[in-house]
Amino acid sequence: MLSETWKCEIIKARDLRQFFCSIHGSPGKKAYHMENILFHHMYRREKVIMLGDVMIDYEAAMEVENGFLGYVEKMKENISPKATVIIEDLKSLIK
C-alpha cells in the first residue's frame, strides 16, 4: 500500500483526479477507508465498487459487503476468486 502522498502524486501526474472523490492509503485498513467513503459521501453501497489488484482489496470489499472489480496486468497471475470480474486495462473503464 502506498502512502496517500504518493498516490496523490501518481494520480495527479496521470491526470486521473476526475475519476476519484478521495484518495486513501496507509495508515489504516482498507475496509475502514471504504466504510468512511460510503458514510461521508452518502453513497449507496450497491452503487459503489472497489477496484483492486490484490487479494487484500477483495477481502476488504467483502468485509464491508461491497462490489469488487479486479485489475490484473497482462501476463500477471490472477489471484482473485474465480467469480470476480477481471480487467487487464484500466482504460476500458472510461469507454
Side-chain angles (χ1 to χ4, degrees):
M1 183 181 285
L2 294 173
S3 71
E4 288 183 43
T5 304
W6 279 104
K7 285 182 179 182
C8 290
E9 291 300 318
I10 291 168
I11 288 168
K12 182 179 175 183
R14 294 185 179 181
D15 195 28
L16 298 172
R17 187 67 183 122
Q18 71 271 17
F19 299 110
F20 299 90
C21 65
S22 57
I23 302 164
H24 303 273
S26 58
K29 287 184 62 184
K30 292 181 180 198
Y32 172 81
H33 290 312
M34 291 178 67
E35 285 288 358
N36 278 331
I37 291 167
L38 292 168
F39 177 77
H40 290 295
H41 295 280
M42 297 189 306
Y43 291 140
R44 291 178 32 211
R45 195 171 301 277
E46 65 273 10
K47 297 287 186 179
V48 176
I49 63 166
M50 178 165 187
L51 172 64
D53 63 346
V54 293
M55 195 63 177
I56 293 170
D57 297 336
Y58 172 82
E59 291 166 353
M62 297 302 102
E63 184 177 331
V64 298
E65 300 176 351
N66 241 87
F68 178 78
L69 177 62
Y71 169 69
V72 179
E73 292 181 62
K74 291 179 183 175
M75 307 302 290
K76 297 268 180 143
E77 181 184 0
N78 175 11
I79 62 167
S80 298
K82 294 204 184 307
T84 303
V85 174
I86 301 294
I87 58 172
E88 292 182 342
D89 184 351
L90 297 177
K91 291 177 184 174
S92 65
L93 295 176
I94 58 174
K95 289 182 181 178

